[in-house]
Amino acid sequence: MLLEIENLSQKYGDFVALNSISFQVEEGVYGILGPNGAGKSTFMNLLTDNVLRTSGSISLDGKDILSMGEAYRDTLGYMPQQQGYYEDFSVTEFLKYIGSLKGIAKKELNNIISELLTRLNLEDVRNKKMKKLSGGMRQRVLFAQALLNNPRILVLDEPTVGLDPKERVNMRNMIKEISQDKIIFVSTHIVSDIENIADKIILLKKGEIVAFDRPDNLISRLPIEYEKNLESVYILNFETCD
Amino acid sequence: MFGMEFRRIFNRKTVIMLLLLIALNVTVFLWMYKTGKYESQVSDETYSQHVESILKQGDTINAISIFNKGGQSEYAERNNQKTIDKYASIGEIETVKINGNIIITVIKNRFTHLTICVFMVIFLFRVFQGEEYKSMQTMLYATRNGRKRLAIARWGLSCVSLMVFIILNYAVIFGCVYVIDGYKCSDLLAPIQSVVEFYDCAMKTSIIGYIFFYIAATFLFSFSILIVMWLCMYFSDNRILSMSLMISLMAVEYLMYQVIAEQSKIVFLKYINLFNLVMPGDFLYKYSNYELFNYPVNKLTTEIVLSTALILALSTIIFAIAENKRPIKKSSRLENWFGNVTNIVVGSFHGIIGNCKMFGLEIYKLLIVNRGLVYLVVVAVISCMMLDTSQIKHMGIGALLENVYNTYGGPISEEFVEYYNEQIENLNAVDEQYELALEKYDKGIITEEEFDREQFVYEGYAGARSCVDRLTEQYSYLNRLKSERNIEGYLLSDRGYRILFQSDHSGKDLLVAVVICLLFCNGYAYDKRMRVKELIYSTRDGRNKIHRTRILVMTLLCGIAFALVYGLEFYEIQCVCPMRWWSAPVQSLPFFEGCRVNISLGFLVFLFEVSRFVMMVTLGILVYVLSYSRSSKEALIIPLAGAAIYIKIKAIANPAITITMSAIIIVFTVLGWIYVVRNRKLESKIR
């Protein structure tokens, strides 16, 4: 599976959110790092076809995702940064609702939901209303909905926000585990979350890619006075931002 | 997907709300039904005579228009010919004598259309609820079926649910009429023209057929409006902006509907108009055309074509938008401008609220936060729809009596006695003359023709005789009152007083009870639900002063509800059949003969209205007290059930029982309130 991004640009009026970025990715986990306004969320929205691009192309195995339409969205799993949910739905109902939108057969969907709820420690709250869940629980439900259709491309925008340390580790492990046959994009502010699981890191700054490499390569290129970790890479590249 | 979408939109709360809406519609309907406004008329003219007269009239117009060909008359000629052809084709219908009330209720009950509009707004808000946040939209749009297919599923659901809602509404209404009037099923198979109001209906169908047609047409019209509203919702993610667009659109349409005259060249804008679909006019049961480029176009056909075209075209646009719209986009200039204006307005509003003291904030909490304003607006709309201020045009004896009351009303005067004696003398003279004529006729002195003339004169005085009989009754009653109890009664019209004191006001009482329970059931329960009870109790004024303030707020809101229901009722009575002579003793009205207290009618009216108000405030306090120890649902249901029982007993019991019952309720409510204010148990629990 090959996802190609070519000269992708996005403008909102005069503001350039993404400026002609190009790269190719295959199966693996890709961490997207950047300060506020770097274009991370815009990139995520372009990947999920939630915003109409100004120019450039995104193609999956040679086909433009816009022309693929439903076939592309069938391969997609998306967890947005803000928590969006229907208040009156219980956890199971919410997952069934999203599952039905993803076109999953009812019987199969029930099995998948049970499996995911167990995996994400949500068994006890399966019948609880979404509005009554804690922020961390809701975050896990949203992660579960992204995985319902066993997506080939998984887009996770700040997935670990609001989780306790144990759950963060659990989610990190799960992302790594399912990444064998998937392209996973993880956008985050918490650098340590992707340090150990990302195959490659994309550093975005003012809508442009400043680095696209393996984490160890990025760390090895750090000047001597910096501590050898991904956080230092972040600080070095974005110290003048925010 | 359809099922899940159904489950999402029609949650328990929405279903209860819709059922209440149907119940409200039926209550209003029954209320109106009892007033006799939905009764079918009686006509001396048969249907065949009616059609014949239209055809004859058409021929006459045709004959005249021969001399006036071309220009303006071209449309008139065509219209005339089209009407003749239409009536000629349906003229042979054989009507039967039936009770037409069941079908009259359909065409006259406008409140159902309003109910349907409310349903559509609730439905659309439920459809898009949760999606005002981009994150939910982006999540849905990233799924395989989250675009066009989801829109199609919602479209289907709106179609089915609207149809079900309309059928339910009419089924309940028909059921009520059926139970009240006891129809024979064969009546429903009679031609629609058997009912006088449908003489101009140019359809060959039975009553049941017309009912189906009417429901189908209502659905078609309503669904087209729903689709228009849906498109407005797509216009912006800002719900207020979307609704403003919809309201502006409807306002323009309403203006055109109202302002454009029938003779205008742009009369088509009056009928190719959304307002006709919201509140269909009489074109649904009366054949009529309007002018479109010199050609007569049928109004009903126009609305059907317009709604069908709207549904097809706008649905296609909606599906296309659903597929191609993206949740993330740059806000338009209008949205930015509207956002800025909204921010300023909301900011100013919160600035004002921020300056309010406890009283103002409690009002804000009940009216805005707990949606009390919506309930009051609904009550205002219902009351205004019920309001009929056109003065009764008295005929025959009624007119004669009104004339006497206007001229000689008040304490019995010499002028009245003189007038009364004069009338009696006149009538006696007429009687004598008639008896003499009868005697002569029996003896063969006068011919039958001459006797008929005398009899005609005698019968002409029947109204005056009834009037004098009524005056005699009243006069002797007032004389008896004077001699037996030394009370100087007034001669006055009792119509208005009869309506106020003797009519059944259960419907209005129940409406008031519902609005009070809805307004105040959140009074204390809201604090508990939002977990601020402890916080309030820990403040200086959070124990005693707050309760007193809330009672004051309740009194104010009860006052508003009182003005909206009973105030308007009073105004209506004063317009229709005014209550005069407020200084008259209550015993002036024969139905208050047994009253042992000597007070004036004005004071009694005052006491009557005050007692209503006191009962309203009592109910409000009762709801508040219950919300202290129970949930808001219980605080709504228990007093409402109690109020319904109270209203029922009040309607059938005598005044003494009602007064005793009311006094007991007031005492227990006040005790309950003191318990709430003085209770220390709660404090210990909090600690």
Side-chain angles (χ1 to χ4, degrees):
Chain A
M1 185 168 50
L2 180 69
L3 186 75
E4 292 169 278
I5 284 104
E6 269 184 70
N7 301 321
L8 188 64
S9 293
Q10 182 62 31
K11 286 182 189 174
Y12 298 109
D14 294 333
F15 177 72
V16 183
L18 273 185
N19 190 10
S20 194
I21 61 167
S22 301
F23 62 89
Q24 293 181 350
V25 288
E26 289 181 333
E27 285 85 347
V29 180
Y30 298 89
I32 304 175
L33 285 177
N36 289 333
K40 300 191 296 293
S41 289
T42 300
F43 176 63
M44 296 281 186
N45 283 322
L46 284 165
L47 270 181
T48 53
D49 190 22
N50 267 308
V51 63
L52 214 53
R53 62 193 176 224
T54 310
S55 64
S57 72
I58 304 172
S59 47
L60 179 67
D61 292 333
K63 288 181 192 159
D64 192 289
I65 62 163
L66 288 187
S67 62
M68 285 175 78
E70 280 185 9
Y72 171 69
R73 296 200 298 274
D74 212 11
T75 65
L76 202 62
Y78 175 50
M79 177 184 177
Q81 186 181 356
Q82 305 287 330
Q83 292 184 340
Y85 56 91
Y86 293 122
E87 289 187 342
D88 291 328
F89 270 157
S90 69
V91 171
T92 317
E93 283 171 339
F94 180 73
L95 292 176
K96 277 185 181 171
Y97 181 77
I98 300 291
S100 69
L101 289 178
K102 292 188 175 198
I104 306 167
K106 205 175 173 183
K107 205 174 171 185
E108 192 190 345
L109 183 61
N110 287 337
N111 295 335
I112 296 169
I113 289 172
S114 294
E115 196 183 312
L116 282 170
L117 291 180
T118 313
R119 189 68 209 274
L120 289 162
N121 290 330
L122 290 166
E123 266 294 316
D124 295 343
V125 293
R126 63 181 305 148
N127 294 321
K128 215 169 177 181
K129 287 202 170 176
M130 288 294 285
K131 65 180 172 189
K132 296 201 170 161
L133 297 182
S134 68
M137 280 179 184
R138 228 178 272 143
Q139 195 73 351
R140 279 182 275 154
V141 176
L142 293 180
F143 182 57
Q145 66 76 29
L147 298 177
L148 279 172
N149 56 333
N150 190 21
R152 290 163 69 200
I153 300 168
L154 186 60
V155 182
L156 307 171
D157 206 346
E158 305 276 2
T160 53
V161 169
L163 297 182
D164 62 41
K166 193 181 155 197
E167 291 303 338
R168 270 167 63 185
V169 171
N170 187 19
M171 191 177 280
R172 238 162 31 204
N173 292 341
M174 203 166 160
I175 293 170
K176 188 71 197 167
E177 203 177 294
I178 59 173
S179 66
Q180 302 303 316
D181 58 346
K182 289 178 175 42
I183 297 172
I184 302 178
F185 288 100
V186 185
S187 157
T188 182
H189 273 102
I190 308 164
V191 181
S192 59
D193 275 351
I194 52 167
E195 188 163 13
N196 300 319
I197 58 166
D199 295 309
K200 280 191 175 178
I201 301 287
I202 301 166
L203 290 180
L204 275 177
K205 191 177 179 181
K206 291 180 182 168
E208 290 182 355
I209 295 177
V210 289
F212 177 48
D213 210 338
R214 294 175 59 81
D216 47 357
N217 288 346
L218 290 170
I219 292 167
S220 66
R221 285 204 295 270
L222 278 169
I224 195 107
E225 64 272 23
Y226 282 86
E227 207 178 321
K228 297 289 180 190
N229 58 26
L230 203 55
E231 211 159 82
S232 304
V233 174
Y234 187 93
I235 291 166
L236 176 71
N237 281 283
F238 305 124
E239 60 191 350
T240 54
C241 296
D242 287 339
Chain B
M1 201 200 309
F2 191 86
M4 286 308 294
E5 199 59 23
F6 177 84
R7 163 76 190 83
R8 184 179 73 80
I9 294 167
F10 294 100
N11 62 4
R12 200 168 48 180
K13 206 170 158 185
T14 312
V15 170
I16 291 172
M17 211 189 316
L18 295 178
L19 289 177
L20 281 175
L21 199 60
I22 294 176
L24 181 70
N25 183 26
V26 175
T27 312
V28 171
F29 165 75
L30 288 175
W31 187 355
M32 299 291 279
Y33 194 77
K34 274 168 77 177
T35 62
K37 286 178 183 167
Y38 293 161
E39 271 173 28
S40 178
Q41 292 169 8
V42 179
S43 171
D44 297 334
E45 192 186 36
T46 62
Y47 177 65
S48 52
Q49 284 170 338
H50 180 74
V51 173
E52 211 173 293
S53 75
I54 289 177
L55 294 178
K56 207 181 276 177
Q57 206 179 340
D59 288 341
T60 315
I61 295 170
N62 259 353
I64 296 166
S65 58
I66 288 167
F67 304 103
N68 191 19
K69 285 225 178 273
Q72 286 272 326
S73 71
E74 226 175 304
Y75 161 71
E77 264 183 66
R78 284 175 183 150
N79 185 25
N80 192 39
Q81 195 53 50
K82 195 174 174 179
T83 309
I84 290 172
D85 293 347
K86 192 74 196 176
Y87 276 92
S89 68
I90 56 155
E92 285 164 11
I93 291 170
E94 281 194 16
T95 57
V96 288
K97 201 171 174 154
I98 54 151
N99 181 345
N101 286 3
I102 195 162
I103 193 70
I104 296 298
T105 57
V106 181
I107 52 170
K108 289 202 176 171
N109 180 22
R110 313 270 288 170
F111 195 74
T112 304
H113 294 282
L114 202 66
T115 312
I116 294 167
C117 286
V118 175
F119 165 81
M120 292 193 292
V121 173
I122 293 175
F123 178 83
L124 277 182
F125 268 85
R126 284 292 303 153
V127 166
F128 292 101
Q129 200 172 41
E131 286 166 38
E132 56 269 42
Y133 305 110
K134 298 279 184 209
S135 52
M136 192 65 223
Q137 273 192 52
T138 54
M139 211 151 68
L140 296 182
Y141 268 68
T143 60
R144 191 184 77 177
N145 300 334
R147 298 187 182 188
K148 194 161 90 182
R149 281 175 200 242
L150 181 63
I152 292 172
R154 285 174 175 179
W155 187 91
L157 188 62
S158 63
C159 188
V160 173
S161 52
L162 180 66
M163 183 53 121
V164 170
F165 185 78
I166 292 173
I167 290 175
L168 261 179
N169 260 296
Y170 283 114
V172 178
I173 287 177
F174 289 143
C176 289
V177 182
Y178 191 83
V179 170
I180 296 168
D181 274 8
Y183 274 89
K184 282 184 282 177
C185 286
S186 58
D187 282 359
L188 297 176
L189 298 174
I192 186 70
Q193 286 81 1
S194 302
V195 183
V196 179
E197 283 78 1
F198 288 85
Y199 272 11
D200 287 323
C201 178
M203 274 184 248
K204 251 186 180 173
T205 182
S206 61
I207 289 186
I208 189 77
Y210 183 81
I211 288 173
F212 282 124
F213 160 76
Y214 191 88
I215 290 176
T218 307
F219 166 74
L220 193 68
F221 297 166
S222 306
F223 192 52
S224 58
I225 293 294
L226 180 80
I227 296 290
V228 173
M229 285 161 86
W230 192 328
L231 203 63
C232 288
M233 295 294 260
Y234 271 165
F235 173 70
S236 168
D237 289 331
N238 187 325
R239 296 283 172 266
I240 302 171
L241 187 59
S242 303
M243 287 313 288
S244 306
L245 176 74
M246 181 66 203
I247 291 167
S248 313
L249 186 66
M250 288 314 296
V252 172
E253 293 286 84
Y254 179 68
L255 205 67
M256 286 202 286
Y257 177 81
Q258 287 291 335
V259 170
I260 298 172
E262 284 288 343
Q263 295 77 22
S264 167
K265 274 285 166 202
I266 53 165
V267 68
F268 61 89
L269 289 177
K270 192 182 177 84
Y271 295 103
I272 304 175
N273 186 307
L274 290 179
F275 189 75
N276 277 307
L277 306 179
V278 180
M279 287 280 170
D282 57 7
F283 59 81
L284 269 170
Y285 60 98
K286 276 184 184 167
Y287 177 81
S288 51
N289 301 316
Y290 67 94
E291 185 183 353
L292 183 65
F293 306 121
N294 263 342
Y295 280 91
V297 182
N298 185 256
K299 289 175 188 173
L300 178 60
T301 313
T302 303
E303 304 311 334
I304 290 174
V305 170
L306 172 68
S307 50
T308 312
L310 274 176
I311 292 170
L312 292 175
L314 300 187
S315 299
T316 313
I317 294 172
I318 284 172
F319 299 148
I321 292 176
E323 183 62 32
N324 298 308
K325 187 189 158 206
R326 299 292 187 281
I328 311 292
K329 61 182 191 317
K330 188 176 174 281
S331 299
S332 66
R333 272 188 192 174
L334 182 67
E335 280 176 309
N336 283 337
W337 176 84
F338 193 79
N340 291 338
V341 172
T342 313
N343 285 343
I344 293 168
V345 173
V346 172
S348 316
F349 178 70
H350 284 289
I352 295 166
I353 297 298
N355 289 328
C356 285
K357 293 196 172 159
M358 197 190 279
F359 186 81
L361 288 172
E362 285 297 329
I363 291 180
Y364 170 73
K365 207 173 87 181
L366 285 179
L367 286 188
I368 309 295
V369 180
N370 288 319
R371 302 187 194 99
L373 193 63
V374 178
Y375 306 137
L376 286 178
V377 169
V378 170
V379 171
V381 170
I382 294 173
S383 295
C384 289
M385 285 190 77
M386 302 290 126
L387 196 66
D388 182 3
T389 54
S390 48
Q391 195 166 2
I392 290 178
K393 284 187 176 62
H394 296 283
M395 306 288 280
I397 175 181
L400 288 170
L401 274 172
E402 274 304 303
N403 197 25
V404 175
Y405 292 135
N406 288 340
T407 320
Y408 303 105
I412 299 293
S413 60
E414 280 177 17
E415 287 84 5
F416 169 72
V417 177
E418 204 175 301
Y419 169 81
Y420 174 74
N421 290 334
E422 196 180 304
Q423 293 302 311
I424 295 280
E425 275 170 28
N426 281 348
L427 283 176
N428 286 341
V430 172
D431 286 352
E432 273 171 28
Q433 201 176 334
Y434 177 70
E435 273 164 25
L436 194 69
L438 188 64
E439 207 179 300
K440 283 182 182 171
Y441 177 65
D442 284 343
K443 288 177 182 170
I445 300 170
I446 57 169
T447 61
E448 191 177 346
E449 201 179 320
E450 282 169 323
F451 175 70
D452 281 349
R453 212 176 300 134
E454 287 298 329
Q455 193 171 17
F456 182 73
V457 172
Y458 175 75
E459 280 168 2
Y461 277 85
R465 194 168 288 111
S466 306
C467 173
V468 170
D469 287 348
R470 174 88 182 92
L471 287 177
T472 309
E473 207 178 293
Q474 243 174 315
Y475 186 35
S476 58
Y477 168 72
L478 295 175
N479 280 336
R480 189 157 44 86
L481 205 62
K482 175 86 180 158
S483 58
E484 287 176 8
R485 296 174 63 185
N486 199 26
I487 296 170
E488 192 156 342
Y490 283 36
L491 181 75
L492 47 84
S493 166
D494 65 352
R495 278 183 82 108
Y497 292 108
R498 211 174 266 283
I499 293 173
L500 185 66
F501 293 117
Q502 293 210 309
S503 295
D504 182 10
H505 300 288
S506 305
K508 278 178 187 156
D509 294 343
L510 198 63
L511 177 68
V512 165
V514 170
V515 76
I516 287 178
C517 292
L518 284 171
L519 270 174
F520 305 131
C521 66
N522 272 319
Y524 201 91
Y526 180 70
D527 295 345
K528 283 191 285 180
R529 204 170 64 236
M530 302 313 287
R531 300 188 184 109
V532 290
K533 185 177 69 179
E534 291 83 351
L535 189 69
I536 290 173
Y537 260 68
S538 66
T539 59
R540 190 190 67 179
D541 297 331
R543 300 191 184 197
N544 291 339
K545 193 180 173 187
I546 197 165
H547 293 300
R548 287 199 298 274
T549 310
R550 283 175 177 178
I551 297 295
L552 279 177
V553 169
M554 270 179 205
T555 312
L556 176 74
L557 296 185
C558 281
I560 295 172
F562 179 88
L564 290 175
V565 180
Y566 297 127
L568 283 179
E569 179 203 59
F570 193 82
Y571 171 69
E572 187 178 11
I573 294 173
Q574 286 301 71
C575 290
V576 175
C577 37
M579 296 181 276
R580 296 203 183 103
W581 301 106
W582 295 62
S583 55
V586 282
Q587 290 85 355
S588 302
L589 300 171
F591 50 87
F592 282 133
E593 189 186 355
C595 184
R596 295 285 146 203
V597 193
N598 286 336
I599 51 170
S600 66
L601 271 173
F603 190 61
L604 183 72
V605 170
F606 173 73
L607 278 184
F608 183 74
E609 298 296 353
V610 167
S611 69
R612 276 174 156 181
F613 183 66
V614 168
M615 286 316 290
M616 282 175 75
V617 176
T618 307
L619 179 64
I621 297 174
L622 188 69
V623 175
Y624 178 67
V625 169
L626 272 170
S627 75
Y628 164 76
S629 54
R630 303 275 167 187
S631 68
S632 57
K633 279 176 200 158
E634 286 169 295
L636 170 71
I637 293 165
I638 297 170
L640 197 55
I645 295 167
Y646 171 81
I647 291 164
K648 190 69 198 164
I649 294 174
K650 199 183 82 170
I652 52 173
N654 67 39
I657 294 175
T658 308
I659 291 169
T660 316
M661 187 170 65
S662 307
I664 294 170
I665 292 170
I666 292 170
V667 168
F668 274 95
T669 306
V670 172
L671 288 175
W673 183 63
I674 293 169
Y675 172 77
V676 169
V677 178
R678 299 279 168 221
N679 185 24
R680 291 285 175 269
K681 270 186 190 170
L682 184 78
E683 291 167 38
S684 60
K685 270 185 198 167
I686 292 168
R687 280 187 203 120

